[in-house]
Amino acid sequence: ITTQPADQSVLVGATATFSVVATSTGTLSYQWLKGGVAIAGATASSYTTPATVLTDSGSTFSVQVSDSLGHSVTSSTVTLTVT
């Protein structure tokens, strides 16, 4: 991972977008996690949340990046703040 995702702060009702940059000689795949649990369909280098609600504040996100050569790494964990 060459660029880690970053914490996001948004207003209620807005979306937040997290992104990661990774490099490999193999083909990359991504799986975004919320609170350590895989988010269905979140398999791109960026993830945009649904419209946020106040209870989303404090949620944590990370992404597992794997390549076709069998390597896998998990990004740093970042936090969503909703105000």
Side-chain angles (χ1 to χ4, degrees):
I1 294 177
T2 57
T3 304
Q4 295 280 350
D7 293 338
Q8 297 289 316
S9 295
V10 297
L11 297 175
V12 170
T15 61
T17 299
F18 300 95
S19 61
V20 68
V21 178
T23 59
S24 171
T25 55
T27 303
L28 292 171
S29 61
Y30 305 88
Q31 177 61 65
W32 286 90
L33 311 168
K34 180 179 181 181
V37 178
I39 303 167
T43 56
S45 61
S46 64
Y47 170 68
T48 301
T49 67
T52 57
V53 295
L54 276 178
T55 55
D56 290 325
S57 194
S59 296
T60 58
F61 294 84
S62 59
V63 59
Q64 185 174 27
V65 183
S66 304
D67 69 16
S68 56
L69 304 176
H71 305 111
S72 180
V73 64
T74 302
S75 72
S76 57
T77 298
V78 295
T79 302
L80 172 62
T81 301
V82 181
T83 55

